[in-house]
Amino acid sequence: MVKKTMAESTITPRSEDYNRWYLDVIREAELAENSPVRGCMVIRPYGYAIWEAIQSGLDRRFKETGHQNAYFPMFIPHSFIAKETEHIEGFSPELALVTKGGGKDLDEALVVRPTSETIIGHTFARWVRSYRDLPLLINQWANVVRWEMRTRPFLRTMEFLWQEGHTAHTTEKEAMEETLQMLGVYEEMARDDAAIPVIPGEKSEIERFAGAVNTYTIEAMMGNGWALQSGTSHYLGDKFARAFEIQYTDDNNKLQYAHTTSWGVSTRFVGAVIMAHGDDQGLRLPPKMAPIQVAIVPLWRKNKEEAEVMGLANQVFQTLKNAGIRVKMDDRTHLSPGFKFNDWEMRGVPLRIEIGPRDVKQNAVVVARRHLPGKEGKIFGVAVESLGTKIPELLQEVHDGLYNQALAFREENTHTGFEDLESFTQATQDKGGFLKVHWAGTSEDETKVKEDLKFTIRCYPNADQGGPAGRCFYTGKETNRVAIFARAY
Amino acid sequence: MVKKTMAESTITPRSEDYNRWYLDVIREAELAENSPVRGCMVIRPYGYAIWEAIQSGLDRRFKETGHQNAYFPMFIPHSFIAKETEHIEGFSPELALVTKGGGKDLDEALVVRPTSETIIGHTFARWVRSYRDLPLLINQWANVVRWEMRTRPFLRTMEFLWQEGHTAHTTEKEAMEETLQMLGVYEEMARDDAAIPVIPGEKSEIERFAGAVNTYTIEAMMGNGWALQSGTSHYLGDKFARAFEIQYTDDNNKLQYAHTTSWGVSTRFVGAVIMAHGDDQGLRLPPKMAPIQVAIVPLWRKNKEEAEVMGLANQVFQTLKNAGIRVKMDDRTHLSPGFKFNDWEMRGVPLRIEIGPRDVKQNAVVVARRHLPGKEGKIFGVAVESLGTKIPELLQEVHDGLYNQALAFREENTHTGFEDLESFTQATQDKGGFLKVHWAGTSEDETKVKEDLKFTIRCYPNADQGGPAGRCFYTGKETNRVAIFARAY
């Protein structure tokens, strides 16, 4: 049995209170903390390193698909935001305004960007003249501000970090292909880097981005069965092109409006990583995103054992470092081994290597895998000379294990077969999770379901459309549109 | 003789009007442009890629020296800024204030960070308890805002991008070592990545960061002999520690104030790259920072030549790409070779490869090096099979060439031997450049020199202190303190 220690006892078990567990993990693993500015958080180094992993995985994929980074002003004239009708309606209640600068009142208030379609639309109009200037494939890494009243670390903060892609194309077809391509990039990053299975699909009308024609999303299931919108990609039609006059002359010398897209993933995704994988012991980090992939805990009691144990531990450390693995030596002397084991488990480190006097004799180590609990996760007698190849394999095993566990959990908690409101209502109370149903309701119907049951349409999953018709649980109509309802953050 | 083309003629020669040349280069090479928000610029992809190179060179070095990235709120309560007396005095005239959020007037205005000593000081006070928590070595990549009245792209903009390092230490000695270590990191990045020789030294009292005990700088000479402060590192003593109560218990269990540092490099450094190396033809980019390191221009007149020329060009392209070189194929058909040559020169691409029908016969190419003008820069008959190793060597040659040219230019334009005001005044008019002198004046004297002659103390160069005494040109006093005076951006 694992010895009880301070590190363990300060985290509320996940099963007991999911929301407290989430906040406990963020505090104890030193991912983030509240700041003196209401709704803004400080992202601590361990949390920021996860964001850096998300960034590098996305940035590489953006560049591979032909996008370039650029930077646009954070301040946007208020008149710009107002140019696209739906956009200003959607964002108006959330704006932060700079009204004074350099000691003077400003003539026109500057909006701190909540998103950059308007300032970038204005700029694109200057850059685009002919069809030869298209497509324009731009991404920006930036901070944005939305005046949120109820905030939660990573999931919803007033200021957050994100990337926002903005592209312009000659045709609707090409712009739609781009929209879906970037949704695919997000899906791939979630699967291959974060070990999170996501459901790509389209948002319903009421969940659409303010000013979009179509909004697509990747939806992930968290450990409590709730959904988290983890990235979105918007087809904007020619709405912003008309508002900002992004026009090009086509090959017949005719003036045309461009078709634009935008797409974003934010620090919210760090929340997805925490909640998709964490367990009662704390974090479980996907190896590709883990700031520390392997923690080495040397174990010795008698002073004469120290030299030989530390000798092997240092050798292992160097081997792994040379293999490009992010490895940490835990040589803290004022903490017990039990405390250290729990500490690294709580921090979600994928692999822990234990080295004691007996291991030195065998020239082998014990490796504990974070995705399997207790004894089950331990491998004894792993030969030291095999570590350079064995550890990368085990990291991949942890990645796959986390992915498969998350997928199995989602499948267990996805329910179907609801053809009337009563059975659906019952499921929202008894089962939770994702309720996959046929849906022929209106936006008003959807709003009513939300008000009554707190379940919302997360998306119309791309993979489930176009199948056989079924009965809508709400309207009773036959339809082949499939929707996933869930509680959501 | 190089054929005159549009690309060349739109840039004002550097020798004719340096400031117009600078703006012309930024426009024509598509580095940046003005935005509709006064004082804020749009950083275009080609300019942003240079910033990304600066970022990656610094970020790697920060991590190698034990620093971790984190992120702190952009909004700072006004009361925080006011806590350190000199700090608020220095920054007060430059603040942008958010006074409305979510449709309501705020009780306390939020400052858009001009720098983050205060919010980070507040946070460090929470993180530091015992000497075991120190040193605390943090860096932040962020945007900051200073309400500037006279702006110039990259050099001085209202919003700019930067990194700001913030560290806390137990002793003054250790904090001072950190301050100088990071100055050294900046010097190394400038030299090894940007091919810019810089002079590390201390700022005079009136040029000190608001709230610092000592401010150190790296000063670079631009192509017109002016100085550009290209990075600064501050020893903050315990001033911010006292203002924000960053205290630790030492190993005698006594409460002590920490000693802190801060240091930053901003998008201003892109301006340094442009101005330190550029010539009449436009940009000359140091190879490690060049978004495009090699441009391939295929040359053919008759249609039957196209296939063989493009065949070899594509082969060369693939060879270089596989070697990890950032290579661009210029297969634009509507532009003349002369235009393309000038275009890539103007954009500062370090190497241009020309491939014509004669080259195909010899299985060789022509390579033009950007740091040497015209014919002098060309190497004929470079064997195709050697390119995988030859091109990296030539990129290093361009790097060294740019560095040596910049160093020689600085040495030519550094003048000494001024022991009275008259000869110094004469030199400010006739010679310009860096005037290296002995200086025993006060802050008032320095201000007077600035008002009268527009020359300011750029730094007391570290390398020149502690030598034999000499006569101060202003006070007539003997001193061994050496200062560099120059016009500065």
Side-chain angles (χ1 to χ4, degrees):
Chain A
M1 215 197 92
V2 179
K3 194 175 146 193
K4 286 274 170 193
T5 70
M6 197 177 70
E8 189 181 25
S9 59
T10 48
I11 292 183
T12 306
R14 203 179 75 138
S15 44
E16 197 180 301
D17 183 337
Y18 196 79
N19 289 333
R20 275 194 54 191
W21 168 86
Y22 180 70
L23 297 174
D24 287 351
V25 166
I26 286 173
R27 183 189 65 248
E28 292 299 314
E30 302 179 302
L31 298 173
E33 63 186 32
N34 286 328
S35 83
V37 185
R38 198 188 62 76
C40 291
M41 65 175 171
V42 171
I43 307 180
R44 303 189 68 171
Y46 201 66
Y48 196 83
I50 298 172
W51 175 238
E52 285 181 301
I54 296 167
Q55 284 190 298
S56 81
L58 288 175
D59 199 68
R60 174 174 61 75
R61 291 178 174 94
F62 294 161
K63 284 171 179 162
E64 282 168 5
T65 46
H67 302 82
Q68 293 183 298
N69 289 328
Y71 191 78
F72 300 83
M74 168 175 61
F75 293 148
I76 301 178
H78 191 272
S79 57
F80 277 41
I81 305 278
K83 274 196 185 175
E84 209 291 320
T85 323
E86 290 166 12
H87 195 66
I88 181 68
E89 273 177 27
F91 281 104
S92 197
E94 299 184 356
L95 300 180
L97 299 182
V98 173
T99 60
K100 289 174 198 286
K104 292 193 178 144
D105 290 329
L106 306 185
D107 292 337
E108 183 187 4
L110 294 171
V111 173
V112 182
R113 65 182 158 220
T115 181
S116 301
E117 278 75 9
T118 58
I119 186 92
I120 293 181
H122 173 90
T123 310
F124 275 14
R126 292 167 44 89
W127 292 355
V128 173
R129 290 281 170 272
S130 124
Y131 67 94
R132 282 199 193 84
D133 301 322
L134 296 172
L136 201 49
L137 307 172
I138 298 292
N139 177 62
Q140 168 171 272
W141 291 98
N143 56 344
V144 287
V145 170
R146 298 178 186 175
W147 209 266
E148 302 280 0
M149 295 318 287
R150 290 195 303 179
T151 60
R152 203 191 295 252
F154 294 114
L155 301 183
R156 197 177 294 280
T157 51
M158 202 169 88
E159 180 191 9
F160 57 91
L161 305 181
W162 78 345
Q163 59 68 216
E164 45 180 325
H166 295 270
T167 70
H169 307 262
T170 50
T171 62
E172 174 177 342
K173 177 169 177 291
E174 193 185 292
M176 183 55 90
E177 280 166 5
E178 166 78 5
T179 308
L180 294 174
Q181 173 185 250
M182 300 323 287
L183 191 72
V185 162
Y186 291 160
E187 185 187 359
E188 183 187 303
M189 183 278 289
R191 180 186 65 222
D192 295 348
D193 294 2
I196 299 176
V198 294
I199 296 178
E202 188 177 351
K203 282 284 181 194
S204 67
E205 195 183 330
I206 61 174
E207 298 273 343
R208 230 176 248 156
F209 175 76
V213 176
N214 307 91
T215 285
Y216 296 88
T217 176
I218 52 168
E219 296 286 324
M221 185 183 281
M222 302 295 100
N224 60 350
W226 288 33
L228 186 75
Q229 175 182 308
S230 305
T232 49
S233 186
H234 316 293
Y235 169 62
L236 305 174
D238 59 9
K239 289 189 187 182
F240 285 88
R242 285 181 187 273
F244 290 92
E245 297 179 354
I246 311 174
Q247 287 182 294
Y248 68 93
T249 48
D250 66 15
D251 44 9
N252 294 319
N253 223 22
K254 257 188 72 180
L255 209 56
Q256 305 277 8
Y257 285 107
H259 295 259
T260 66
T261 82
S262 67
W263 26 277
V265 159
S266 74
T267 34
R268 166 172 255 224
F269 201 91
V270 178
V273 170
I274 300 167
M275 292 204 298
H277 297 308
D279 66 9
D280 281 355
Q281 276 69 48
L283 277 180
R284 300 196 306 168
L285 291 177
K288 286 187 193 152
M289 293 188 169
I292 299 170
Q293 297 175 306
V294 179
I296 300 175
V297 181
L299 307 161
W300 46 274
R301 293 179 188 212
K302 304 166 197 156
N303 281 347
K304 62 171 185 171
E305 292 166 349
E306 180 178 0
E308 57 180 31
V309 167
M310 286 309 299
L312 182 59
N314 286 326
Q315 180 197 329
V316 169
F317 177 85
Q318 208 51 55
T319 301
L320 297 183
K321 204 170 175 196
N322 294 345
I325 290 160
R326 297 188 288 275
V327 56
K328 172 87 181 173
M329 168 72 77
D330 188 354
D331 52 8
R332 293 176 290 181
T333 50
H334 61 295
L335 299 173
S336 70
F339 180 95
K340 291 181 182 182
F341 290 1
N342 288 333
D343 194 37
W344 295 119
E345 282 184 5
M346 184 270 289
R347 290 171 200 272
V349 173
L351 297 175
R352 181 180 72 239
I353 293 182
E354 306 166 10
I355 304 179
R358 201 184 307 173
D359 302 300
V360 174
K361 285 194 186 71
Q362 299 174 349
N363 204 35
V365 301
V366 178
V367 182
R369 294 161 292 179
R370 181 65 178 92
H371 72 297
L372 297 172
K375 276 266 159 67
E376 197 191 336
K378 286 206 182 191
I379 312 176
F380 296 90
V382 181
V384 166
E385 60 265 31
S386 73
L387 290 176
T389 54
K390 185 73 181 171
I391 293 295
E393 284 168 26
L394 289 175
L395 288 171
Q396 185 61 45
E397 186 193 315
V398 175
H399 175 93
D400 295 341
L402 289 174
Y403 181 84
N404 290 331
Q405 287 173 12
L407 185 60
F409 180 80
R410 190 183 80 192
E411 284 174 357
E412 277 163 34
N413 290 283
T414 298
H415 308 289
T416 56
F418 309 107
E419 300 204 339
D420 55 63
L421 184 57
E422 196 187 330
S423 66
F424 181 87
T425 304
Q426 196 65 42
T428 63
Q429 291 157 12
D430 300 348
K431 296 176 191 286
F434 286 3
L435 305 182
K436 192 191 280 192
V437 295
H438 284 90
W439 175 254
T442 61
S443 292
E444 289 68 38
D445 296 337
E446 187 184 342
T447 304
K448 191 76 172 57
V449 172
K450 181 179 183 176
E451 284 167 5
D452 293 348
L453 305 173
K454 296 187 177 165
F455 272 56
T456 52
I457 295 180
R458 301 322 304 151
C459 69
Y460 306 126
N462 290 343
D464 294 306
Q465 306 309 313
R471 188 182 147 90
C472 168
F473 74 89
Y474 197 80
T475 61
K477 291 178 190 159
E478 289 287 312
T479 176
N480 65 359
R481 169 183 271 177
V482 173
I484 286 177
F485 277 79
R487 290 291 298 266
Y489 284 98
Chain B
M1 215 197 87
V2 179
K3 192 175 146 193
K4 286 272 173 195
T5 69
M6 196 177 71
E8 191 181 22
S9 59
T10 48
I11 292 185
T12 307
R14 205 179 73 138
S15 45
E16 196 179 299
D17 183 337
Y18 196 79
N19 288 333
R20 274 193 55 189
W21 168 85
Y22 179 70
L23 296 175
D24 288 351
V25 166
I26 285 173
R27 184 189 64 249
E28 292 299 315
E30 302 179 305
L31 298 172
E33 63 186 32
N34 287 328
S35 83
V37 185
R38 199 190 60 78
C40 291
M41 66 177 171
V42 172
I43 307 181
R44 302 189 68 171
Y46 201 65
Y48 196 83
I50 299 172
W51 175 238
E52 285 181 303
I54 296 167
Q55 284 189 298
S56 81
L58 288 175
D59 199 68
R60 174 175 60 76
R61 290 177 174 95
F62 294 161
K63 284 172 178 162
E64 282 168 6
T65 45
H67 302 81
Q68 292 183 299
N69 289 329
Y71 190 78
F72 300 84
M74 167 175 63
F75 294 149
I76 302 178
H78 191 273
S79 57
F80 276 41
I81 305 277
K83 275 196 184 175
E84 209 292 321
T85 324
E86 293 166 11
H87 195 66
I88 181 68
E89 274 177 26
F91 281 104
S92 197
E94 299 184 355
L95 301 179
L97 299 181
V98 173
T99 61
K100 289 176 198 286
K104 293 195 178 141
D105 290 329
L106 306 184
D107 292 337
E108 183 187 3
L110 294 172
V111 173
V112 183
R113 66 181 157 220
T115 180
S116 301
E117 278 75 9
T118 58
I119 186 92
I120 293 181
H122 173 89
T123 310
F124 276 14
R126 292 168 43 89
W127 292 355
V128 173
R129 289 281 170 271
S130 125
Y131 68 95
R132 282 200 192 85
D133 301 323
L134 296 172
L136 202 47
L137 307 172
I138 298 293
N139 177 63
Q140 168 170 271
W141 291 98
N143 55 344
V144 287
V145 170
R146 297 179 188 175
W147 209 266
E148 302 280 359
M149 296 318 286
R150 291 196 302 181
T151 60
R152 205 190 294 253
F154 293 114
L155 301 182
R156 196 177 295 280
T157 50
M158 202 169 89
E159 180 191 9
F160 57 92
L161 304 181
W162 78 345
Q163 60 68 215
E164 46 180 323
H166 295 271
T167 70
H169 307 262
T170 51
T171 63
E172 175 177 344
K173 178 169 175 292
E174 193 186 292
M176 182 57 88
E177 280 167 5
E178 166 79 6
T179 308
L180 294 174
Q181 172 185 249
M182 300 324 288
L183 191 72
V185 162
Y186 291 160
E187 185 188 0
E188 183 187 302
M189 183 278 288
R191 180 187 65 223
D192 295 347
D193 294 1
I196 299 177
V198 295
I199 296 178
E202 189 178 350
K203 283 284 179 195
S204 67
E205 195 184 330
I206 60 173
E207 298 273 343
R208 231 176 249 155
F209 175 76
V213 176
N214 308 91
T215 285
Y216 296 87
T217 175
I218 52 169
E219 296 285 325
M221 184 183 281
M222 302 296 100
N224 60 349
W226 288 33
L228 186 75
Q229 175 182 307
S230 306
T232 49
S233 186
H234 315 293
Y235 169 61
L236 305 174
D238 59 10
K239 288 188 187 182
F240 286 88
R242 284 181 187 274
F244 290 93
E245 298 180 351
I246 312 173
Q247 286 182 294
Y248 68 95
T249 48
D250 66 15
D251 44 9
N252 295 319
N253 223 22
K254 257 189 72 181
L255 210 55
Q256 304 277 8
Y257 285 107
H259 295 258
T260 67
T261 83
S262 67
W263 26 275
V265 159
S266 74
T267 35
R268 166 171 255 224
F269 201 91
V270 178
V273 171
I274 300 167
M275 292 204 296
H277 298 307
D279 65 9
D280 281 354
Q281 276 69 49
L283 277 180
R284 300 196 307 168
L285 291 177
K288 285 187 193 151
M289 291 186 170
I292 299 170
Q293 297 174 306
V294 179
I296 300 175
V297 181
L299 306 162
W300 46 274
R301 291 178 189 215
K302 304 166 195 155
N303 281 347
K304 63 171 184 171
E305 291 166 349
E306 180 179 358
E308 57 179 31
V309 167
M310 286 309 300
L312 182 58
N314 285 326
Q315 180 197 330
V316 169
F317 177 85
Q318 208 51 54
T319 301
L320 298 183
K321 203 169 174 198
N322 294 345
I325 290 160
R326 297 188 288 275
V327 56
K328 172 87 181 174
M329 169 70 77
D330 188 355
D331 51 8
R332 293 176 289 181
T333 50
H334 61 296
L335 299 174
S336 71
F339 180 94
K340 291 182 182 181
F341 290 1
N342 289 331
D343 194 38
W344 295 118
E345 281 184 6
M346 184 270 288
R347 290 172 199 270
V349 173
L351 297 176
R352 181 181 71 240
I353 293 182
E354 306 166 11
I355 304 178
R358 200 185 307 172
D359 302 301
V360 173
K361 284 195 186 69
Q362 298 173 349
N363 204 35
V365 302
V366 178
V367 182
R369 294 160 294 180
R370 181 64 179 92
H371 73 297
L372 297 172
K375 275 267 158 65
E376 195 192 337
K378 287 205 180 190
I379 312 176
F380 295 89
V382 181
V384 166
E385 60 266 29
S386 73
L387 289 176
T389 54
K390 186 72 181 170
I391 293 295
E393 284 169 26
L394 289 175
L395 288 172
Q396 185 62 44
E397 187 193 314
V398 175
H399 175 93
D400 295 341
L402 289 174
Y403 181 85
N404 290 331
Q405 288 174 10
L407 185 60
F409 179 80
R410 190 184 80 192
E411 283 173 358
E412 278 163 33
N413 291 285
T414 299
H415 309 289
T416 57
F418 310 107
E419 300 205 338
D420 55 61
L421 185 56
E422 196 188 333
S423 67
F424 181 87
T425 303
Q426 197 63 42
T428 63
Q429 290 157 13
D430 300 347
K431 296 177 192 287
F434 286 3
L435 305 181
K436 193 191 279 193
V437 296
H438 284 89
W439 176 254
T442 61
S443 293
E444 289 69 36
D445 296 337
E446 187 184 341
T447 304
K448 190 78 172 57
V449 172
K450 181 180 181 175
E451 284 168 5
D452 293 348
L453 305 173
K454 296 188 177 165
F455 272 57
T456 52
I457 295 181
R458 302 320 306 150
C459 68
Y460 306 126
N462 290 342
D464 294 305
Q465 307 309 312
R471 189 183 145 90
C472 169
F473 75 89
Y474 197 80
T475 61
K477 292 179 190 156
E478 289 287 311
T479 177
N480 65 359
R481 169 183 269 176
V482 173
I484 285 176
F485 278 79
R487 290 291 299 267
Y489 286 99

